[in-house]
Amino acid sequence: MEARTKGLEAQLRELTEHRKLFETVHQKNIRTWCSLLELSPLVIFRRWLSFTTAWMKSSGGAVAQDAVSVDAESALKRDEDRIEMGPFPDHLDPGAYWHARHKLKKAVLEHYRGLEMLHNYRILNIYGFRRVLSKFEKATKIQVQRVYVEEKMAKCSFFQDETLRTTMNEMQNIFASSFAEGDRKKALTRLRAGPQYKSHHNSTFCSGLAIGSAMAALGLGVRHIFETDTRNNIPGWDGLLFIYGVLAVPTFFAVLVGLNILVWARARINYVFIFELDLRTRLDHREYFQTPCILLATLCYAFWLSFARIGAPAVNPTIWPLVWLAFAVLVMLDPLPILYKPSRYWLIRNVGKLLKSGLKRVEFTDFWMGDQFCSLVFTLSNLTLIGCVYSQGLNLSPDWRKCGSASNLWPLSFVLATLPFLVRLVQSFRRYADSKLRTHLINAGKYGAGIVNYLCYFIWRHRGGQYDTAFVFWCLFNTFYTIYAMTWDLLMDWSFMQRHSRHFLLRQELVYTNHIFMYYFAIVTNALIRFMWIFYIPVKGPDAMFRTFIVGLLEVVRRWQWNFYRLENEHLGNVDQYRVTREVPSRTTYPSRSMATWTKRSRRKRHGRLPRVELTS
């Protein structure tokens, strides 16, 4: 902590020198607000837009009190100077200065909170020693506490708090001089502000309102489906219904993940540490529910608008799924600091990292995210069908099924369906290259078998679903893959089937101890859903498209159930090795004076454990 304090002091001094150098090189021309009237509205708008974008990038969606307090007039003046003087070198860029200043402010706040945690840890250890010695005196009737404290504990540097308090005072002075205009009282108030406990009335109300309205719209839409007029007036109505099913599965899955977060939080599973979430911007489960509930509600409204034929005949019913897709993309990519922008962008970044698998070390978040997409094969494989249908015009025809697996586009559908399996295959090979553990090669074999299985399936469906050689190969490979994946789930991902356990066929340590029966229910249902592909074999029965929707929906339910026990197993592994916290590195570094080098050393003794993070000078 002393080394980090010195590093932050050096960075703040360099930041101050940067500011002085900039002001020396570029003397500001103070302008009044009246001079802005001489500028054209387009120039004013562009300057306002550039300033807003720079401020949003620096704030990163954090709380308002962390933002740089700059009034509008000074901001416009800086923007005018920047436009007048043209592009800046990297070391004289005012935007880079404010961005670095804002990150350094966060780093100082995090460092001070770390000092407080270290101080509390010191007090806890001293209290623990005193309690142990007190128990010893009570049991042996030997008065040794005072002597032991004087001869043993008092000589340890950790027993004394002079160094720690001196370091805390230094950080208080630094924060007051750099970020509180010398006001020490204001600096102490800001530094000693603990976690922000906020109410969730607004997010809970919005989520409940969205779910309630979604159920109403869904019910109205289903009622219109069974009306004869709807089926007669909407050609290819079953194709439109199938498109909504493709869009509904991932949206419903996103809502189910909110239930995962709720249970993890209630069971005290440290998912924040496991996923390496930012403590300042992580979502509570009530906040998380808001975005997927809004998407689900708008999807149900689009479903109702389509089959209620609102605006017909001027508005084509098939336009509403495209409208919803555009709205969903807008919500996820919205750059404004609303609807929890840091969390939305965290998701986008981690999904984008899947496409770069194998280029760097694979962490838990990477392969967990890949596993989630492995359960969305139904949606991914039918993206080609949706594109084919809309490319032929917005009016669906009864022969819309020609765009399915029977078309010549089936190779593209196969590639999209198996892309998550390919990503996980590459990740498994990379993990083996990093750790030399053969279990990763066994895991890679599972995903390789999955790719071969889906290849046989698509060939069989393309040939008309006949009981031929392709069907036999598909059954053989699917049976092998299902048993392979189910065994891996139970033995590796969940660590079940342990002998000499207190609970039959489970592991020795459990978290959900109040619901032991749910473990056995999960084992049975996981096996049943894994074998749901048998539902495709009978010739008679529901339509093939409807069968794929049912199996796809059950697969996301299986993955939702899998998440509970996978995170439980990961959490227990971290607790076994006392990995329950992770240091937060400084938010800014400089090439000339780097404060510390962060290295990660993997000390995994079983599948899926997180590496320990160490600070080396």
Side-chain angles (χ1 to χ4, degrees), residues 190-451:
R190 181 67 187 91
L191 286 170
R192 292 176 178 175
Q196 300 295 321
Y197 297 101
K198 52 185 177 180
S199 63
H200 301 283
H201 301 94
N202 181 52
S203 56
T204 304
F205 172 76
C206 292
S207 301
L209 181 63
I211 290 294
S213 60
M215 294 301 101
L218 180 63
L220 290 173
V222 171
R223 183 178 67 86
H224 285 297
I225 290 176
F226 290 97
E227 294 178 353
T228 306
D229 293 342
T230 301
R231 300 191 178 191
N232 293 334
N233 294 323
I234 301 180
W237 63 272
D238 51 346
L240 182 60
L241 181 63
F242 183 76
I243 290 174
Y244 275 109
V246 173
L247 301 178
V249 167
T251 309
F252 178 65
F253 188 32
V255 177
L256 290 181
V257 172
L259 297 178
N260 285 138
I261 298 175
L262 169 61
V263 174
W264 294 335
R266 296 284 176 85
R268 302 176 66 85
I269 291 177
N270 197 352
Y271 68 92
V272 177
F273 169 69
I274 293 175
F275 291 119
E276 303 182 42
L277 301 178
D278 193 331
L279 293 175
R280 299 182 305 271
T281 57
R282 70 178 180 90
L283 292 183
D284 182 88
H285 62 273
R286 288 157 291 194
E287 296 173 326
Y288 169 85
F289 271 119
Q290 189 169 339
T291 301
C293 286
I294 290 175
L295 294 178
L296 180 63
T298 51
L299 180 62
C300 290
Y301 270 104
F303 175 76
W304 168 64
L305 291 173
S306 292
F307 288 98
R309 302 182 67 245
I310 301 298
V315 179
N316 194 307
T318 57
I319 196 66
W320 295 113
L322 298 180
V323 173
W324 180 84
L325 274 176
F327 174 77
V329 172
L330 179 63
V331 168
M332 295 305 299
L333 301 180
D334 180 20
L336 299 177
I338 59 176
L339 286 179
Y340 314 107
K341 174 189 171 184
S343 297
R344 288 187 283 110
Y345 278 39
W346 176 89
L347 176 62
I348 294 172
R349 285 195 302 270
N350 282 275
V351 172
K353 286 168 60 178
L354 295 178
L355 301 177
K356 300 186 297 182
S357 298
L359 299 180
K360 63 178 183 178
R361 189 179 187 87
V362 180
E363 299 296 343
F364 180 88
T365 306
D366 302 325
F367 62 77
W368 183 86
M369 193 71 69
D371 285 331
Q372 307 307 301
F373 277 93
C374 286
S375 293
L376 295 176
V377 172
F378 168 74
T379 297
L380 294 174
S381 62
N382 285 291
L383 293 178
T384 306
L385 182 144
I386 295 177
C388 174
V389 167
Y390 278 101
S391 65
Q392 297 178 2
L394 292 181
N395 288 318
L396 291 177
S397 58
D399 57 349
W400 59 272
R401 287 178 176 81
K402 292 182 178 180
C403 290
S405 56
S407 68
N408 294 327
L409 296 175
W410 74 268
L412 180 58
S413 300
F414 164 72
V415 171
L416 292 176
T418 57
L419 184 60
F421 290 83
L422 180 61
V423 168
R424 290 294 290 115
L425 180 68
V426 174
Q427 289 179 346
S428 299
F429 283 129
R430 177 56 194 261
R431 297 186 73 191
Y432 171 74
D434 293 336
S435 64
K436 304 303 179 182
L437 293 177
R438 295 183 180 180
T439 53
H440 298 312
L441 291 180
I442 300 175
N443 197 21
K446 181 186 72 172
Y447 294 105
I451 294 175

Side-chain angles (χ1 to χ4, degrees), residues 535-570:
F535 189 47
Y536 293 143
I537 296 178
V539 177
K540 298 182 180 180
D543 183 76
M545 295 296 186
F546 179 71
R547 298 185 195 185
T548 58
F549 170 73
I550 295 298
V551 174
L553 191 62
L554 289 176
E555 173 59 23
V556 300
V557 173
R558 188 197 67 80
R559 182 63 64 180
W560 166 67
Q561 179 181 252
W562 178 89
N563 287 336
F564 289 120
Y565 306 105
R566 181 65 184 89
L567 263 291
E568 178 198 27
N569 188 32
E570 186 71 18

Side-chain angles (χ1 to χ4, degrees), residues 562-610:
W562 178 89
N563 287 336
F564 289 120
Y565 306 105
R566 181 65 184 89
L567 263 291
E568 178 198 27
N569 188 32
E570 186 71 18
H571 173 75
L572 291 174
N574 291 333
V575 173
D576 287 345
Q577 296 188 12
Y578 308 102
R579 291 197 299 260
V580 293
T581 185
R582 182 189 296 272
E583 285 188 286
V584 181
S586 173
R587 293 300 177 187
T588 181
T589 56
Y590 289 90
S592 59
R593 300 178 184 178
S594 62
M595 181 187 67
T597 302
W598 289 82
T599 61
K600 297 182 178 180
R601 298 179 181 177
S602 176
R603 297 181 178 180
R604 306 186 183 192
K605 291 187 178 180
R606 63 177 175 176
H607 171 73
R609 288 190 172 179
L610 284 171

